[in-house]
Structures are given as C-alpha cells and as structure tokens.
Amino acid sequence: MPTFSNRVSTFGTTIFSEINVLAAQHNAVNLGQGRPDFDTPSDIVQASVKALTDGLHNQYPPGNGTAEIRKGVADHANRFYNLDIDPDRGVLATAGATEAVFSSILGLVDPGDEVIVIEPYFDSYVPNLIMAGAKPVFVPLHPPEWTLDPDELRKAFTPKTRAILWNSPQNPTGRVFTVEEMTLVADLCKEHDVVVISDEVYEHLVFEPAKHVPIATLPGMFERTVTIGSFGKSFSATGWKLGWVYGHPDLVAGAMRAHQFVTFAVHHASQIAGGYALHLDGSYYENLQAMYTTKRDLMMEALTGAGIKAKVPEGTYFVMGDFSDVFDGDDMAFTQHLIKNIGVACIPPSPFYCEEHRYIAGKLARFAFCKSDATLKEAGERMRKLKG
Ligand SMILES: Cc1ncc(COP(=O)(O)O)c(C=O)c1O
C-alpha cells in the first residue's frame, strides 16, 4: 500500500508536540511551547463573539481577508512604522503566521532556488522550503551574543539565492537586530536582487532600550520585502491562528496566489476581532510590554537561581539558557532530565539547526516566559534543585 510522499518522509513529529506529551506525563511546569497560559483580553474576545452572533459571518470571507482585518493591518503599519500599505492589494490574512510564511515561500520562491535561513530558526521554515522544492542555505548566529558573522552571511549569497527568511525579534534567541545589522542584510539583498520574507511576529514584544525596526523600512527594501505578523503573538491568542502578510502589492500577490489554493480564506469572526484589536490605542501595547518585562525578569531570576547562564532577551518571550555549569550532557538529555527529575519543561534547540551546525545547541535550552507570574515563580522554585 502506498504511504506518505518522499516530500514529507524526513519530517518527524515537531519537538513541541513531543515535549508537550512528556511534560503532561510528568506533570511538569511547561515552559516549552510559546503559548500564553493566560486569556486573550476580554474586549477582543467579545468582538469575536459579537461577530459570531450577528448573523453575518457564517459565510466564506473574502480570500485575501475581510475589509476590517486588511484595514487594521494597513493602519497599524502606518501608525507604528510610517509605512503606506494598500489595504486592498498589499495585505493578505492567513491561518496564522505559519501559513503566511508558507504561502509567501510558495508564492515567491521557485523549486531549485536557494533561500538563506538564519540559525537557530523557527521550526516550520525548513520543512516549508523542502515542500516548496527550495534549498535552504544556513547561516548561524553566534552565541553568547547571537551575532551574525558578516563574512559568513556574505558567502551565503550566490547567483541562485532568491530569498532570505529574516526573523526579528528572533525566536529562539530573543535578539532584536540593530539597524546596523539589518543594513548589512539589506545591502546584500539589494546587491544580489534577493527578496526578504520578514517574520516579525514578536514586533510588540521588545524590551527597552531595544527597538523593533521592520526591515521593509530601510532604504530600497519595501519593494523587495513581505512582512509577516501574528494576531496570536500580539494579542495573546495563539489558538485563533490568525496572521497576515503585508507589503508591496506585487509581492503580496505571489503569496495570495498560493494562499487561495492552500486555505482559500481564514476564520471570519477572528478577522473581525483582529481588525478591532489592531486599532487598540497605544496603552494596550505599553501594557503588553510592561507585563512581559516583568515576566522576562522573573524568568531571568529563575535561570540565575538554577545556575543557567543566559543573555537577557531584547525581545520575544523566549530565552536561550546555557546549562553547562549544572548538567553534563547534551540539550536532549538536559530536557529529559529537567522534565522528569526537576519538573520543568523546556525545548532543546538542536532541531532548529542543520546537521552541520547542530553542535552549537549542545549546551543550550530554550525557555518560554509567556506564562503567568505564578507559573514562572513555581518553575524558578523547582529549578533551584538543579544547582544543588
Ligand atoms: C518566529 C515565529 N514565526 C511564526 C510563528 C507562528 O505564528 P502563528 O502561531 O501565528 O502561526 C511563531 C510561533 O511560535 C514564531 O515564533
């Protein structure tokens, strides 16, 4: 009997699913997957409930998204980044940022093209490229500061390079790249006529004094960049799976062509609520950052108490810890030990690297701090045992 295709034959179960199962079995405090364990703000939920009950939203929404979400994304990009986005042709609503990345790759990259991937990378990028028939070309960030080596980056650009998958604020390192760092990327993209697929889902999770600057705002970059956002990250609603792509209409058209035959359209009521949420005033975002700054500090306290070294994240709700002072083994063994013997779950980062660069993750673990303060304190208490 025929089974699955060659295309997916190398894909295992995602590390997040594996860790969630193990964490549940051992009743561990789960700092693994980046899913908030607190509620979406109630006014946003109410906007969705109203949309579901007003009798207008049981039909397929427009393929590129409702007018509400498209205007929300365009207005938001204008308010925060002074970008002039066409809500009709320059925005596409997707099933989370995950689909936004995949539809962008399918719509902008051809089989055989090379696509630069910065490591450690978000786990769907490489399978997405494989499914599109493209070739990932890996460039690692260097710990402990998680910087790019300009020569390594330069060498990765070849005549076959079609795109770079850019992610800032970066999961899992917590880096928010500086304008200087991004200027190097931008210059190389312009020199080699390369498209940027810019995953900016953590755009509002940035800690002072870091500042998020979309790469599309650098000179000459708007024409060659699609930018991706996530309702789940900005509004603590990962389960709603709503995301978007915005940018130059000629590039968004590529993502749209793919999207219409991937999902066609996405959940109507969520898009209405998304349009509402994107128009919330500045205090919403200030409160979000303040809340996450407290959580980041609690997370850092927990790591310090456990004897785990880490660069304080500049953004996102992740931190990469170096456990070499308290555990003798690799990231996979450490994760098992932490879950089974200490009662805390984290993510081993080696699956976010190619074979050649996997050694970089050997003594590292990723912790997610999008959790209630009580959960973070409990994790800190349990992790103290590591030092002992
Ligand atoms: C860097 C990055 N991109 C994309 C996603 C996916 O976002 P969504 O849940 O909106 O599909 C995530 C989720 O963790 C992420 O960390």
Side-chain angles (χ1 to χ4, degrees), residues 98-313:
T98 310
E99 193 242 324
V101 172
F102 191 40
S103 288
S104 297
I105 291 171
L106 288 176
L108 298 171
V109 172
D110 280 315
D113 285 345
E114 291 181 1
V115 176
I116 296 173
V117 177
I118 310 295
E119 294 173 309
Y121 55 80
F122 179 61
D123 76 327
S124 70
Y125 293 174
V126 171
N128 282 182
L129 292 173
I130 291 170
M131 287 192 280
K135 180 175 177 243
V137 174
F138 298 98
V139 178
L141 292 169
H142 292 278
E145 294 302 313
W146 299 109
T147 45
L148 280 166
D149 176 328
D151 289 334
E152 286 175 354
L153 183 65
R154 210 169 279 120
K155 271 199 210 123
F157 282 80
T158 77
K160 286 192 174 164
T161 310
R162 178 69 162 265
I164 179 168
L165 273 165
W166 183 245
N167 174 216
S168 183
Q170 214 256 4
N171 171 11
T173 63
R175 275 302 317 276
V176 178
F177 292 99
T178 63
V179 170
E180 290 69 33
E181 289 171 304
M182 285 196 295
T183 301
L184 172 66
V185 176
D187 288 348
L188 286 165
C189 289
K190 284 183 277 187
E191 188 185 324
H192 294 269
D193 199 18
V194 163
V195 166
V196 182
I197 298 172
S198 186
D199 178 343
E200 300 181 13
V201 299
Y202 299 104
E203 60 190 319
H204 288 296
L205 296 180
V206 175
F207 310 115
E208 297 267 341
K211 193 171 162 5
H212 172 61
V213 177
I215 198 162
T217 62
L218 299 191
M221 291 306 288
F222 184 72
E223 299 73 8
R224 58 178 66 255
T225 304
V226 287
T227 304
I228 288 165
S230 169
F231 178 79
K233 308 296 179 186
S234 294
F235 302 104
S236 311
T238 51
W240 297 32
K241 290 304 293 181
L242 174 65
W244 46 82
V245 181
Y246 71 84
H248 192 288
D250 290 351
L251 294 177
V252 173
M256 175 61 198
R257 283 180 187 216
H259 163 86
Q260 62 187 335
F261 299 118
V262 173
T263 58
F264 173 62
V266 298
H267 188 242
H268 204 151
S270 297
Q271 294 187 58
I272 305 293
Y276 163 82
L278 283 160
H279 286 107
L280 289 172
D281 67 27
S283 63
Y284 170 77
Y285 299 98
E286 283 157 26
N287 292 338
L288 186 77
Q289 283 186 356
M291 175 182 83
Y292 272 111
T293 305
T294 307
K295 294 188 187 305
R296 179 200 60 176
D297 294 345
L298 284 171
M299 186 76 245
M300 290 307 296
E301 265 172 46
L303 294 180
T304 309
I308 294 175
K309 299 172 287 212
K311 175 181 167 64
V312 180

Side-chain angles (χ1 to χ4, degrees), residues 19 23 28-34 299 302-303 318 344-347 366-371 375-376 379-380 383:
I19 297 296
V29 175
N30 195 344
L31 307 186
Q33 197 170 19
M299 186 76 245
L303 294 180
F318 302 109
V344 175
C346 62
I347 297 287
R366 188 196 80 169
F367 296 85
F369 52 89
C370 46
K371 309 293 170 186
T375 302
L376 293 170
M383 288 203 301

